[in-house]
């Protein structure tokens, strides 16, 4: 009798935790496990702003998949672009662009999310994201390049546009990105004698009326005060009306000369979700508390791509798309998948939030562990302690700690690596959201596969 085939799609927090649990808990020969991942690492997303600002190296937040597993899992280098749940076939585009078909008995959908965008003129062609390691590394080079070009320019209008930076999104990603990069340019400007520090301006804008409302009013205001004391212009209740190559027009009528627009205004589920034709909640697959997809045999989903009911809050609430929930969902889903194999009852996912941490760079931070509000150095210690402990390998932990210590002792560096220097590095370049198949295309693909025998 053939062993059951388990296919995990996505190597984010949820997918990796699921695989780790399966490898530990499954008996030898009980099932075959395969993981679909476009990269050979799990990206620790919360620390991307520190990569963009140069505090951490890119390798520090890229945790090797091969170091963190027990070598029972076959890794398929590519991305799922469609799933035929009737034929139980996942269509995968490998990193060579070759399209292959992977059969499964059980599939775990953890494809994560992509940057949420809106129909704003010029946005896709002129904005830069902060969702991938490549984007963070690119933004670092880009920001330093603006200082170099402004320092060399004799054109005052060009200088003005290169020295103003706009970050859209007042959530954790946007706030930390603006805070860390503003700290970088403040440190760097002393090495540019021709630049007036007063000309360098960072803007953080968000359509919401509060900064990071999840933190509560007190900590949200504390973070807002820290940013404004540093000179960051925070505008709430405002968004982008139009994005140009050298200016940004806001919905309140202001026109900012700007060649750096960083877009972090939320995320939306991977386009893979749309290939199922299943019920969704705000674009995420509507799953049961046990993380099964109703009406689809052998299909489980979790993380950013799934609307997992929040049984603690109740009232129809779903778990927020955070790393904390994804990691714990991955472990519970693995247990439920094993229970399915062994014909045992499944258990619902239920988890109380452990709190929130926001690293604003340097000695500044706000944190709310277990509901306790903190700010300053104590909050910074909690934030970095949480991130450090969440790294999955000792190698990753050593790299992160070494980088933090080196930055504290030696300060920031301002070297441009030339990473993809001839590419625009915009959302259109980095997020390949047009590569997925429609449900009909998936059916046609698998039908032709069946016809070929």
């Amino acid at each position: 009798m053939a062993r059951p085939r388990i296919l995990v799609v996505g190597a984010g927090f949820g997918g990796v935790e699921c695989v780790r649990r399966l490898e530990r808990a499954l008996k030898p020969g009980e099932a075959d496990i395969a993981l679909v991942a476009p990269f050979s690492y799990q990206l620790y997303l919360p620390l991307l702003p520190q990569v963009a600002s140069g505090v951490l190296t890119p390798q520090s937040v890229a945790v090797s998949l091969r170091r963190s597993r027990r070598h029972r899992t076959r890794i398929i280098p590519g991305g799922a672009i469609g799933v035929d749940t009737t034929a139980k076939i996942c269509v995968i585009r490998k990193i060579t662009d070759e399209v292959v078909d992977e059969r499964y008995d059980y599939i775990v959908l953890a494809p994560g999310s992509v940057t949420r965008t809106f129909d704003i003129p010029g946005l896709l062609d002129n904005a830069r994201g902060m969702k991938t390691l490549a984007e963070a590394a690119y933004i670092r080079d880009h920001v330093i390049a603006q200082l170099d070009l402004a320092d060399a320019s004799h054109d005052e209008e060009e200088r003005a546009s290169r020295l103003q930076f706009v970050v859209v999104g007042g959530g954790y990603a946007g706030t930390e990105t603006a805070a860390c990069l503003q700290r970088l340019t403040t440190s760097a400007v002393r090495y540019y004698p021709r630049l007036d520090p007063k000309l360098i301006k960072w803007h953080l804008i968000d359509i919401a009326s509060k900064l990071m409302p999840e933190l509560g009013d007190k900590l949200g205001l504390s973070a807002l005060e820290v940013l404004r004391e540093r000179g960051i212009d925070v505008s709430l209740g405002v968004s982008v009306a139009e994005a140009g190559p050298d200016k940004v027009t806001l919905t309140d009528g202001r026109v900012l000369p700007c060649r750096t627009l960083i877009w972090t205004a939320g995320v939306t589920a991977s386009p893979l979700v749309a290939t199922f034709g299943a019920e969704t909640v705000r674009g995420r697959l509507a799953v049961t508390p046990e993380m099964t997809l109703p009406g689809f045999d052998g299909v489980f989903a979790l993380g950013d791509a799934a609307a997992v009911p929040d049984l603690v809050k109740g009232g129809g609430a779903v778990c927020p798309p955070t790393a904390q929930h994804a990691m714990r969902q991955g472990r519970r889903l693995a247990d439920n998948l094993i229970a399915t194999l062994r014909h045992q009852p499944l258990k619902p996912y239920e988890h109380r939030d452990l709190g929130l941490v926001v690293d604003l760079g340097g000695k500044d931070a706000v944190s709310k562990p277990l509901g306790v509000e903190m700010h300053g150095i104590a909050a910074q210690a909690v934030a970095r302690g949480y991130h450090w402990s969440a790294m999955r390998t000792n190698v990753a932990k050593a790299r992160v700690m070494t980088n933090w210590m080196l930055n504290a002792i030696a300060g920031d560096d301002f070297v441009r690596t030339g990473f993809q220097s001839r590419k625009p590095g915009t959302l259109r370049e980095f997020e390949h959201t047009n590569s997925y198949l429609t449900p009909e295309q998936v059916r046609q693909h698998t039908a032709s596969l069946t016809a070929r025998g």
Side-chain angles (χ1 to χ4, degrees):
M1 183 177 177
R3 289 181 292 194
R5 296 164 296 191
I6 300 172
L7 182 65
V8 180
V9 175
F13 291 103
V16 169
E17 283 299 316
C18 180
V19 167
R20 285 165 57 88
R21 187 75 148 216
L22 289 172
E23 288 188 328
R24 287 191 177 97
L26 284 172
K27 300 174 184 176
E30 190 172 6
D32 291 328
I33 311 169
L35 173 65
V36 182
F39 305 108
S40 61
Y41 57 80
Q42 175 197 357
L43 178 62
Y44 192 79
L45 273 168
L47 291 178
L48 270 188
Q50 295 192 34
V51 172
S53 64
V55 173
L56 298 176
T57 61
Q59 294 90 338
S60 301
V61 300
V63 183
S64 171
L65 292 178
R66 299 191 182 275
R67 282 184 181 269
S68 62
R69 67 190 186 91
R70 296 189 174 186
H71 307 290
R72 289 180 56 185
T73 300
R74 178 168 58 98
I75 298 177
I76 305 172
I81 59 174
V83 180
D84 186 330
T85 55
T86 301
K88 289 196 170 183
I89 293 175
C90 180
V91 185
I92 300 168
R93 177 172 281 118
K94 296 171 71 174
I95 58 175
T96 58
D97 278 338
E98 175 191 1
V99 175
V100 298
D101 303 290
E102 187 73 20
R103 296 185 181 275
Y104 68 86
D105 295 296
Y106 301 94
I107 188 168
V108 177
L109 300 171
S113 56
V114 296
T115 300
R116 180 181 62 186
T117 58
F118 301 95
D119 189 19
I120 298 173
L123 181 65
L124 292 178
D125 292 317
N126 296 296
R128 293 159 176 84
M130 269 289 289
K131 196 75 175 63
T132 67
L133 192 59
E135 286 173 315
Y138 179 92
I139 284 174
R140 170 176 166 76
D141 265 17
H142 173 81
V143 168
I144 297 172
Q146 301 314 298
L147 300 181
D148 289 343
L149 291 165
D151 184 64
S153 176
H154 296 289
D155 187 319
E156 293 303 319
E157 288 188 3
E158 179 188 353
R159 276 193 170 192
S161 65
R162 293 197 183 280
L163 296 178
Q164 290 211 59
F165 307 88
V166 177
V167 179
V168 181
Y172 305 115
T175 301
E176 290 185 334
T177 296
C180 290
L181 285 173
Q182 186 269 345
R183 186 171 177 269
L184 173 68
T185 56
T186 300
S187 299
V189 73
R190 70 173 71 109
Y191 299 102
Y192 293 85
R194 297 182 67 247
L195 295 183
D196 183 352
K198 295 179 181 178
L199 294 178
I200 300 177
K201 190 68 177 178
W202 282 86
H203 302 265
L204 176 62
I205 68 175
D206 193 272
I207 194 64
S209 60
K210 296 179 181 180
L211 190 69
M212 296 182 293
E214 299 89 345
L215 283 173
D217 291 343
K218 185 177 178 181
L219 283 183
L221 286 173
S222 179
L224 183 62
E225 290 173 2
V226 168
L227 297 181
R228 285 178 169 163
E229 284 175 3
R230 287 194 193 173
I232 299 176
D233 182 10
V234 182
S235 300
L236 300 174
V238 178
S239 188
V240 173
E242 184 175 357
D246 57 7
K247 64 180 179 181
V248 174
T249 304
L250 304 183
T251 53
D252 62 4
R254 282 182 292 164
V255 178
L256 303 176
C258 169
R259 301 196 187 207
T260 307
L261 173 60
I262 303 173
W263 185 267
T264 66
V267 297
T268 187
S270 165
L272 182 65
V273 167
T275 69
F276 284 83
E279 181 184 352
T280 59
V281 177
R282 296 182 181 178
R284 301 163 69 189
L285 290 169
V287 298
T288 66
E290 294 77 21
M291 289 170 284
T292 61
L293 187 62
F296 294 83
D297 181 46
V299 179
F300 297 77
L302 75 161
D304 292 7
V308 181
D310 190 332
L311 300 182
V312 174
K313 290 184 177 179
V318 297
C319 297
T322 64
Q324 186 181 143
H325 279 291
M327 290 168 68
R328 288 159 179 78
Q329 287 170 6
R331 293 194 284 269
R332 175 49 54 87
L333 192 154
D335 291 341
N336 282 342
L337 209 166
I338 294 169
T340 301
L341 291 173
R342 298 172 182 173
H343 306 289
Q344 297 171 351
L346 278 60
K347 296 181 180 180
Y349 171 74
E350 187 172 351
H351 169 70
R352 294 187 182 276
D353 204 314
L354 296 180
L356 305 165
V357 294
V358 182
D359 189 333
L360 299 175
K363 300 177 181 178
D364 296 320
V366 290
S367 301
K368 196 176 181 180
L370 301 174
V372 180
E373 296 185 347
M374 306 173 68
H375 57 83
I377 295 177
Q380 180 68 279
V382 170
R384 295 202 169 182
Y386 173 81
H387 290 315
W388 184 83
S389 64
M391 305 302 288
R392 282 298 168 216
T393 67
N394 290 330
V395 171
K397 288 181 178 180
R399 282 179 174 157
V400 167
M401 184 60 70
T402 300
N403 281 189
W404 279 339
M405 292 176 64
L406 183 61
N407 182 258
I409 296 170
D412 299 312
D413 73 83
F414 321 108
V415 175
R416 277 188 294 117
T417 64
F419 180 81
Q420 295 191 345
S421 59
R422 298 298 178 185
K423 290 190 176 183
T426 60
L427 289 171
R428 191 182 293 281
E429 287 285 320
F430 281 112
E431 303 218 10
H432 307 290
T433 56
N434 59 349
S435 62
Y436 295 85
L437 303 178
T438 66
E440 182 58 31
Q441 287 173 324
V442 173
R443 286 191 290 270
Q444 290 176 356
H445 176 86
T446 53
S448 65
L449 179 68
T450 303
R452 294 194 303 266

